[in-house]
Structures are given as C-alpha cells and as structure tokens.
Amino acid sequence: KMLAQDLVAYLLALFYFVVGSLTLMNMLIGALCEVVSVVAREQTEMIKVDKCKEKLTALVHEMDDNNDMMISRAEFMNIMVNPEMVRMLAELEVDVESFIQYADFVCGHEVCDIPKFVDIVMLFRSSNNATVKDV
C-alpha cells in the first residue's frame, strides 16, 4: 500500500530497515568475537599456569634435599639459585626479586609444604591484579 502512495518513501523505509538490521547484526558479531577472544585468552593462560605448576612442583620435589616434602629456608635458598628454577619463574612471570626479598613470608615458620610453596609462588606473578587483601 505504501508503494502505491510514494515510491521514494518506500525505498527510504526499506533502506532504513536493511541498514539498521545489518548494523545490529555487526554489533552482535563484534560482541560475540570479543567474548570468544577473552575466553580463549583466559584458557590459554590457565593451561600455561597449570603446566608450569606441574613443572614447578616436580622441580621442587627434585630439589627437596631431605625428601620430607617440606621446603626449609636453606632449601628455599638452594632452589632460588638454580638456573632452571629462575627460568621457570621467569616463564611464569614471577617477580623473582620480590619473591626472594619476601623469603621470610614464603617460608614463614622455617618450613612450608610444597603445594603451599607453589601457591605462594603464584601470588608473586606480575600479571596478578592488586586487591585490598594485598594492602
């Protein structure tokens, strides 16, 4: 019925609906692509961290001198001078200088178990965001 009234108005309305639909579709595609890229980045980071945690745990087990599954302050210092350990920490983006500086915090009661040690190492990653707990 609109076509019979005015051809120009009909074409403008048709153009408006087509352009609007395409714009909305492109916005939705952009949002979907952003979500997929963020999830992929997070998964890649998680896989990297898990692999490094396994390697780190194995390396610390190897360097546990008395095989008590606990890291003493002396063992901690021996671990930190191992080039393979420093390379692993660099791969994990751990701030090695701060980690060594806070050795008292890491081995608070003279010894700490290996899983706790690995978790503390992960706290010193430079990619971690600061939280209120950190202050």
Side-chain angles (χ1 to χ4, degrees), residues 45-60 85 87-94 118 121-122 125:
E45 180 69 18
M46 225 169 35
I47 289 169
K48 175 185 167 187
V49 167
D50 287 343
K51 283 183 181 179
C52 286
K53 269 185 168 181
E54 289 172 12
K55 289 180 187 176
L56 188 64
T57 302
L59 188 63
V60 171
M85 181 65 160
R87 191 175 329 109
M88 176 72 60
L89 292 175
E91 186 178 324
L92 275 171
E93 301 172 5
V94 172
V118 172
V121 167
M122 293 310 199
R125 294 183 69 217

PDB file of all heavy atoms in Angstrom, residues 45-60 85 87-94 118 121-122 125:
ATOM      1  N   GLU A  45      45.975 -18.903  29.201  1.00  0.00           N
ATOM      2  CA  GLU A  45      46.705 -18.534  30.415  1.00  0.00           C
ATOM      3  C   GLU A  45      46.568 -19.620  31.478  1.00  0.00           C
ATOM      4  O   GLU A  45      47.542 -19.966  32.149  1.00  0.00           O
ATOM      5  CB  GLU A  45      46.185 -17.199  30.948  1.00  0.00           C
ATOM      6  CG  GLU A  45      46.859 -16.715  32.201  1.00  0.00           C
ATOM      7  CD  GLU A  45      48.298 -16.302  31.991  1.00  0.00           C
ATOM      8  OE1 GLU A  45      48.704 -16.061  30.845  1.00  0.00           O
ATOM      9  OE2 GLU A  45      49.027 -16.244  32.993  1.00  0.00           O
ATOM     10  N   MET A  46      45.365 -20.177  31.632  1.00  0.00           N
ATOM     11  CA  MET A  46      45.143 -21.210  32.632  1.00  0.00           C
ATOM     12  C   MET A  46      45.943 -22.471  32.310  1.00  0.00           C
ATOM     13  O   MET A  46      46.539 -23.089  33.206  1.00  0.00           O
ATOM     14  CB  MET A  46      43.643 -21.548  32.707  1.00  0.00           C
ATOM     15  CG  MET A  46      43.156 -21.647  34.110  1.00  0.00           C
ATOM     16  SD  MET A  46      41.371 -21.731  34.341  1.00  0.00           S
ATOM     17  CE  MET A  46      40.746 -22.649  32.997  1.00  0.00           C
ATOM     18  N   ILE A  47      45.984 -22.847  31.035  1.00  0.00           N
ATOM     19  CA  ILE A  47      46.747 -24.024  30.627  1.00  0.00           C
ATOM     20  C   ILE A  47      48.231 -23.800  30.882  1.00  0.00           C
ATOM     21  O   ILE A  47      48.933 -24.685  31.383  1.00  0.00           O
ATOM     22  CB  ILE A  47      46.467 -24.359  29.144  1.00  0.00           C
ATOM     23  CG1 ILE A  47      45.047 -24.900  28.996  1.00  0.00           C
ATOM     24  CG2 ILE A  47      47.481 -25.358  28.608  1.00  0.00           C
ATOM     25  CD1 ILE A  47      44.585 -25.022  27.555  1.00  0.00           C
ATOM     26  N   LYS A  48      48.720 -22.606  30.557  1.00  0.00           N
ATOM     27  CA  LYS A  48      50.129 -22.274  30.785  1.00  0.00           C
ATOM     28  C   LYS A  48      50.460 -22.358  32.267  1.00  0.00           C
ATOM     29  O   LYS A  48      51.481 -22.929  32.655  1.00  0.00           O
ATOM     30  CB  LYS A  48      50.419 -20.875  30.254  1.00  0.00           C
ATOM     31  CG  LYS A  48      51.805 -20.367  30.532  1.00  0.00           C
ATOM     32  CD  LYS A  48      51.939 -18.932  30.057  1.00  0.00           C
ATOM     33  CE  LYS A  48      53.184 -18.283  30.587  1.00  0.00           C
ATOM     34  NZ  LYS A  48      53.238 -16.863  30.277  1.00  0.00           N
ATOM     35  N   VAL A  49      49.607 -21.794  33.107  1.00  0.00           N
ATOM     36  CA  VAL A  49      49.841 -21.805  34.546  1.00  0.00           C
ATOM     37  C   VAL A  49      49.810 -23.231  35.093  1.00  0.00           C
ATOM     38  O   VAL A  49      50.656 -23.609  35.909  1.00  0.00           O
ATOM     39  CB  VAL A  49      48.819 -20.903  35.271  1.00  0.00           C
ATOM     40  CG1 VAL A  49      48.829 -21.131  36.769  1.00  0.00           C
ATOM     41  CG2 VAL A  49      49.087 -19.444  34.951  1.00  0.00           C
ATOM     42  N   ASP A  50      48.867 -24.046  34.631  1.00  0.00           N
ATOM     43  CA  ASP A  50      48.787 -25.433  35.103  1.00  0.00           C
ATOM     44  C   ASP A  50      50.028 -26.232  34.733  1.00  0.00           C
ATOM     45  O   ASP A  50      50.565 -26.982  35.552  1.00  0.00           O
ATOM     46  CB  ASP A  50      47.533 -26.112  34.559  1.00  0.00           C
ATOM     47  CG  ASP A  50      46.264 -25.619  35.224  1.00  0.00           C
ATOM     48  OD1 ASP A  50      46.356 -25.003  36.306  1.00  0.00           O
ATOM     49  OD2 ASP A  50      45.175 -25.840  34.656  1.00  0.00           O
ATOM     50  N   LYS A  51      50.504 -26.071  33.494  1.00  0.00           N
ATOM     51  CA  LYS A  51      51.717 -26.775  33.071  1.00  0.00           C
ATOM     52  C   LYS A  51      52.913 -26.329  33.892  1.00  0.00           C
ATOM     53  O   LYS A  51      53.725 -27.150  34.324  1.00  0.00           O
ATOM     54  CB  LYS A  51      51.987 -26.540  31.583  1.00  0.00           C
ATOM     55  CG  LYS A  51      51.120 -27.339  30.664  1.00  0.00           C
ATOM     56  CD  LYS A  51      51.511 -27.096  29.218  1.00  0.00           C
ATOM     57  CE  LYS A  51      50.617 -27.877  28.284  1.00  0.00           C
ATOM     58  NZ  LYS A  51      50.973 -27.631  26.874  1.00  0.00           N
ATOM     59  N   CYS A  52      53.019 -25.030  34.104  1.00  0.00           N
ATOM     60  CA  CYS A  52      54.143 -24.506  34.881  1.00  0.00           C
ATOM     61  C   CYS A  52      54.057 -24.938  36.341  1.00  0.00           C
ATOM     62  O   CYS A  52      55.083 -25.203  36.974  1.00  0.00           O
ATOM     63  CB  CYS A  52      54.209 -22.993  34.771  1.00  0.00           C
ATOM     64  SG  CYS A  52      54.816 -22.438  33.176  1.00  0.00           S
ATOM     65  N   LYS A  53      52.845 -25.020  36.886  1.00  0.00           N
ATOM     66  CA  LYS A  53      52.685 -25.501  38.265  1.00  0.00           C
ATOM     67  C   LYS A  53      53.179 -26.938  38.386  1.00  0.00           C
ATOM     68  O   LYS A  53      53.850 -27.283  39.350  1.00  0.00           O
ATOM     69  CB  LYS A  53      51.215 -25.434  38.690  1.00  0.00           C
ATOM     70  CG  LYS A  53      50.798 -24.174  39.344  1.00  0.00           C
ATOM     71  CD  LYS A  53      49.358 -24.319  39.821  1.00  0.00           C
ATOM     72  CE  LYS A  53      48.947 -23.215  40.739  1.00  0.00           C
ATOM     73  NZ  LYS A  53      47.573 -23.375  41.221  1.00  0.00           N
ATOM     74  N   GLU A  54      52.839 -27.765  37.389  1.00  0.00           N
ATOM     75  CA  GLU A  54      53.291 -29.151  37.414  1.00  0.00           C
ATOM     76  C   GLU A  54      54.809 -29.231  37.331  1.00  0.00           C
ATOM     77  O   GLU A  54      55.451 -29.967  38.093  1.00  0.00           O
ATOM     78  CB  GLU A  54      52.663 -29.932  36.255  1.00  0.00           C
ATOM     79  CG  GLU A  54      51.189 -30.182  36.406  1.00  0.00           C
ATOM     80  CD  GLU A  54      50.568 -30.793  35.150  1.00  0.00           C
ATOM     81  OE1 GLU A  54      51.322 -31.224  34.256  1.00  0.00           O
ATOM     82  OE2 GLU A  54      49.338 -30.845  35.083  1.00  0.00           O
ATOM     83  N   LYS A  55      55.407 -28.451  36.412  1.00  0.00           N
ATOM     84  CA  LYS A  55      56.865 -28.444  36.283  1.00  0.00           C
ATOM     85  C   LYS A  55      57.514 -27.918  37.556  1.00  0.00           C
ATOM     86  O   LYS A  55      58.528 -28.450  38.011  1.00  0.00           O
ATOM     87  CB  LYS A  55      57.288 -27.569  35.099  1.00  0.00           C
ATOM     88  CG  LYS A  55      56.977 -28.148  33.752  1.00  0.00           C
ATOM     89  CD  LYS A  55      57.443 -27.179  32.674  1.00  0.00           C
ATOM     90  CE  LYS A  55      57.018 -27.601  31.299  1.00  0.00           C
ATOM     91  NZ  LYS A  55      57.408 -26.587  30.286  1.00  0.00           N
ATOM     92  N   LEU A  56      56.944 -26.863  38.107  1.00  0.00           N
ATOM     93  CA  LEU A  56      57.477 -26.255  39.322  1.00  0.00           C
ATOM     94  C   LEU A  56      57.422 -27.240  40.483  1.00  0.00           C
ATOM     95  O   LEU A  56      58.393 -27.387  41.230  1.00  0.00           O
ATOM     96  CB  LEU A  56      56.680 -24.995  39.644  1.00  0.00           C
ATOM     97  CG  LEU A  56      57.164 -24.103  40.754  1.00  0.00           C
ATOM     98  CD1 LEU A  56      58.517 -23.523  40.397  1.00  0.00           C
ATOM     99  CD2 LEU A  56      56.167 -22.980  40.977  1.00  0.00           C
ATOM    100  N   THR A  57      56.308 -27.940  40.617  1.00  0.00           N
ATOM    101  CA  THR A  57      56.166 -28.934  41.681  1.00  0.00           C
ATOM    102  C   THR A  57      57.185 -30.050  41.510  1.00  0.00           C
ATOM    103  O   THR A  57      57.832 -30.463  42.478  1.00  0.00           O
ATOM    104  CB  THR A  57      54.736 -29.500  41.690  1.00  0.00           C
ATOM    105  OG1 THR A  57      53.810 -28.423  41.858  1.00  0.00           O
ATOM    106  CG2 THR A  57      54.544 -30.497  42.814  1.00  0.00           C
ATOM    107  N   ALA A  58      57.356 -30.532  40.276  1.00  0.00           N
ATOM    108  CA  ALA A  58      58.332 -31.587  40.025  1.00  0.00           C
ATOM    109  C   ALA A  58      59.751 -31.114  40.332  1.00  0.00           C
ATOM    110  O   ALA A  58      60.548 -31.849  40.935  1.00  0.00           O
ATOM    111  CB  ALA A  58      58.232 -32.050  38.566  1.00  0.00           C
ATOM    112  N   LEU A  59      60.048 -29.882  39.949  1.00  0.00           N
ATOM    113  CA  LEU A  59      61.379 -29.331  40.197  1.00  0.00           C
ATOM    114  C   LEU A  59      61.639 -29.168  41.688  1.00  0.00           C
ATOM    115  O   LEU A  59      62.727 -29.502  42.178  1.00  0.00           O
ATOM    116  CB  LEU A  59      61.515 -27.983  39.483  1.00  0.00           C
ATOM    117  CG  LEU A  59      62.887 -27.348  39.475  1.00  0.00           C
ATOM    118  CD1 LEU A  59      63.876 -28.232  38.734  1.00  0.00           C
ATOM    119  CD2 LEU A  59      62.818 -25.989  38.796  1.00  0.00           C
ATOM    120  N   VAL A  60      60.653 -28.718  42.422  1.00  0.00           N
ATOM    121  CA  VAL A  60      60.814 -28.548  43.868  1.00  0.00           C
ATOM    122  C   VAL A  60      60.942 -29.908  44.546  1.00  0.00           C
ATOM    123  O   VAL A  60      61.743 -30.071  45.472  1.00  0.00           O
ATOM    124  CB  VAL A  60      59.648 -27.720  44.459  1.00  0.00           C
ATOM    125  CG1 VAL A  60      59.669 -27.718  45.963  1.00  0.00           C
ATOM    126  CG2 VAL A  60      59.695 -26.300  43.926  1.00  0.00           C
ATOM    127  N   MET A  85      65.172 -23.190  37.862  1.00  0.00           N
ATOM    128  CA  MET A  85      64.075 -22.636  38.661  1.00  0.00           C
ATOM    129  C   MET A  85      63.836 -21.170  38.306  1.00  0.00           C
ATOM    130  O   MET A  85      62.695 -20.737  38.152  1.00  0.00           O
ATOM    131  CB  MET A  85      64.403 -22.779  40.147  1.00  0.00           C
ATOM    132  CG  MET A  85      63.329 -22.253  41.045  1.00  0.00           C
ATOM    133  SD  MET A  85      61.833 -23.214  40.875  1.00  0.00           S
ATOM    134  CE  MET A  85      61.012 -22.813  42.365  1.00  0.00           C
ATOM    135  N   ARG A  87      64.520 -19.730  35.484  1.00  0.00           N
ATOM    136  CA  ARG A  87      63.924 -19.716  34.142  1.00  0.00           C
ATOM    137  C   ARG A  87      62.423 -20.035  34.221  1.00  0.00           C
ATOM    138  O   ARG A  87      61.607 -19.403  33.558  1.00  0.00           O
ATOM    139  CB  ARG A  87      64.641 -20.727  33.245  1.00  0.00           C
ATOM    140  CG  ARG A  87      64.296 -20.602  31.798  1.00  0.00           C
ATOM    141  CD  ARG A  87      65.105 -21.523  30.875  1.00  0.00           C
ATOM    142  NE  ARG A  87      66.450 -21.808  31.324  1.00  0.00           N
ATOM    143  CZ  ARG A  87      66.856 -23.004  31.786  1.00  0.00           C
ATOM    144  NH1 ARG A  87      66.024 -24.003  31.874  1.00  0.00           N
ATOM    145  NH2 ARG A  87      68.106 -23.192  32.165  1.00  0.00           N
ATOM    146  N   MET A  88      62.085 -21.015  35.056  1.00  0.00           N
ATOM    147  CA  MET A  88      60.674 -21.386  35.222  1.00  0.00           C
ATOM    148  C   MET A  88      59.884 -20.223  35.819  1.00  0.00           C
ATOM    149  O   MET A  88      58.773 -19.927  35.371  1.00  0.00           O
ATOM    150  CB  MET A  88      60.577 -22.596  36.138  1.00  0.00           C
ATOM    151  CG  MET A  88      59.173 -23.010  36.471  1.00  0.00           C
ATOM    152  SD  MET A  88      58.315 -23.754  35.104  1.00  0.00           S
ATOM    153  CE  MET A  88      59.359 -25.119  34.783  1.00  0.00           C
ATOM    154  N   LEU A  89      60.453 -19.546  36.795  1.00  0.00           N
ATOM    155  CA  LEU A  89      59.763 -18.408  37.413  1.00  0.00           C
ATOM    156  C   LEU A  89      59.605 -17.267  36.410  1.00  0.00           C
ATOM    157  O   LEU A  89      58.581 -16.588  36.397  1.00  0.00           O
ATOM    158  CB  LEU A  89      60.519 -17.940  38.658  1.00  0.00           C
ATOM    159  CG  LEU A  89      60.520 -18.917  39.830  1.00  0.00           C
ATOM    160  CD1 LEU A  89      61.389 -18.383  40.947  1.00  0.00           C
ATOM    161  CD2 LEU A  89      59.128 -19.218  40.313  1.00  0.00           C
ATOM    162  N   ALA A  90      60.611 -17.069  35.567  1.00  0.00           N
ATOM    163  CA  ALA A  90      60.503 -16.027  34.537  1.00  0.00           C
ATOM    164  C   ALA A  90      59.413 -16.380  33.534  1.00  0.00           C
ATOM    165  O   ALA A  90      58.678 -15.505  33.073  1.00  0.00           O
ATOM    166  CB  ALA A  90      61.844 -15.844  33.829  1.00  0.00           C
ATOM    167  N   GLU A  91      59.290 -17.658  33.197  1.00  0.00           N
ATOM    168  CA  GLU A  91      58.234 -18.094  32.281  1.00  0.00           C
ATOM    169  C   GLU A  91      56.859 -17.867  32.887  1.00  0.00           C
ATOM    170  O   GLU A  91      55.907 -17.544  32.186  1.00  0.00           O
ATOM    171  CB  GLU A  91      58.432 -19.578  31.958  1.00  0.00           C
ATOM    172  CG  GLU A  91      57.502 -20.121  30.903  1.00  0.00           C
ATOM    173  CD  GLU A  91      57.776 -21.579  30.597  1.00  0.00           C
ATOM    174  OE1 GLU A  91      58.953 -21.987  30.609  1.00  0.00           O
ATOM    175  OE2 GLU A  91      56.801 -22.309  30.344  1.00  0.00           O
ATOM    176  N   LEU A  92      56.774 -18.026  34.199  1.00  0.00           N
ATOM    177  CA  LEU A  92      55.509 -17.783  34.906  1.00  0.00           C
ATOM    178  C   LEU A  92      55.260 -16.301  35.162  1.00  0.00           C
ATOM    179  O   LEU A  92      54.248 -15.946  35.736  1.00  0.00           O
ATOM    180  CB  LEU A  92      55.516 -18.503  36.254  1.00  0.00           C
ATOM    181  CG  LEU A  92      55.095 -19.945  36.264  1.00  0.00           C
ATOM    182  CD1 LEU A  92      55.368 -20.554  37.619  1.00  0.00           C
ATOM    183  CD2 LEU A  92      53.644 -20.100  35.894  1.00  0.00           C
ATOM    184  N   GLU A  93      56.213 -15.442  34.795  1.00  0.00           N
ATOM    185  CA  GLU A  93      56.130 -14.006  35.025  1.00  0.00           C
ATOM    186  C   GLU A  93      56.105 -13.670  36.511  1.00  0.00           C
ATOM    187  O   GLU A  93      55.403 -12.773  36.961  1.00  0.00           O
ATOM    188  CB  GLU A  93      54.912 -13.408  34.316  1.00  0.00           C
ATOM    189  CG  GLU A  93      54.910 -13.611  32.820  1.00  0.00           C
ATOM    190  CD  GLU A  93      53.610 -13.190  32.160  1.00  0.00           C
ATOM    191  OE1 GLU A  93      52.738 -12.642  32.851  1.00  0.00           O
ATOM    192  OE2 GLU A  93      53.487 -13.418  30.960  1.00  0.00           O
ATOM    193  N   VAL A  94      56.896 -14.430  37.281  1.00  0.00           N
ATOM    194  CA  VAL A  94      57.013 -14.183  38.711  1.00  0.00           C
ATOM    195  C   VAL A  94      58.092 -13.129  38.924  1.00  0.00           C
ATOM    196  O   VAL A  94      59.149 -13.173  38.300  1.00  0.00           O
ATOM    197  CB  VAL A  94      57.389 -15.488  39.458  1.00  0.00           C
ATOM    198  CG1 VAL A  94      57.704 -15.209  40.921  1.00  0.00           C
ATOM    199  CG2 VAL A  94      56.270 -16.496  39.337  1.00  0.00           C
ATOM    200  N   VAL A 118      54.101 -23.623  46.081  1.00  0.00           N
ATOM    201  CA  VAL A 118      53.716 -23.345  44.689  1.00  0.00           C
ATOM    202  C   VAL A 118      52.621 -22.283  44.646  1.00  0.00           C
ATOM    203  O   VAL A 118      52.661 -21.372  43.807  1.00  0.00           O
ATOM    204  CB  VAL A 118      53.279 -24.642  43.974  1.00  0.00           C
ATOM    205  CG1 VAL A 118      52.689 -24.346  42.617  1.00  0.00           C
ATOM    206  CG2 VAL A 118      54.458 -25.599  43.843  1.00  0.00           C
ATOM    207  N   VAL A 121      54.197 -18.961  45.259  1.00  0.00           N
ATOM    208  CA  VAL A 121      54.895 -18.519  44.043  1.00  0.00           C
ATOM    209  C   VAL A 121      53.912 -17.848  43.099  1.00  0.00           C
ATOM    210  O   VAL A 121      54.196 -16.799  42.513  1.00  0.00           O
ATOM    211  CB  VAL A 121      55.600 -19.704  43.352  1.00  0.00           C
ATOM    212  CG1 VAL A 121      56.056 -19.334  41.960  1.00  0.00           C
ATOM    213  CG2 VAL A 121      56.784 -20.177  44.166  1.00  0.00           C
ATOM    214  N   MET A 122      52.730 -18.418  42.954  1.00  0.00           N
ATOM    215  CA  MET A 122      51.723 -17.867  42.054  1.00  0.00           C
ATOM    216  C   MET A 122      51.224 -16.494  42.506  1.00  0.00           C
ATOM    217  O   MET A 122      50.786 -15.697  41.682  1.00  0.00           O
ATOM    218  CB  MET A 122      50.534 -18.826  41.921  1.00  0.00           C
ATOM    219  CG  MET A 122      50.904 -20.090  41.222  1.00  0.00           C
ATOM    220  SD  MET A 122      51.757 -19.722  39.699  1.00  0.00           S
ATOM    221  CE  MET A 122      51.577 -21.199  38.840  1.00  0.00           C
ATOM    222  N   ARG A 125      53.151 -13.433  40.843  1.00  0.00           N
ATOM    223  CA  ARG A 125      53.127 -13.222  39.395  1.00  0.00           C
ATOM    224  C   ARG A 125      52.823 -11.758  39.114  1.00  0.00           C
ATOM    225  O   ARG A 125      51.964 -11.155  39.741  1.00  0.00           O
ATOM    226  CB  ARG A 125      52.066 -14.105  38.736  1.00  0.00           C
ATOM    227  CG  ARG A 125      52.411 -15.579  38.855  1.00  0.00           C
ATOM    228  CD  ARG A 125      51.435 -16.456  38.149  1.00  0.00           C
ATOM    229  NE  ARG A 125      51.593 -16.252  36.722  1.00  0.00           N
ATOM    230  CZ  ARG A 125      50.571 -16.250  35.873  1.00  0.00           C
ATOM    231  NH1 ARG A 125      49.358 -16.434  36.298  1.00  0.00           N
ATOM    232  NH2 ARG A 125      50.787 -16.070  34.601  1.00  0.00           N
TER     233      ARG A 125
END
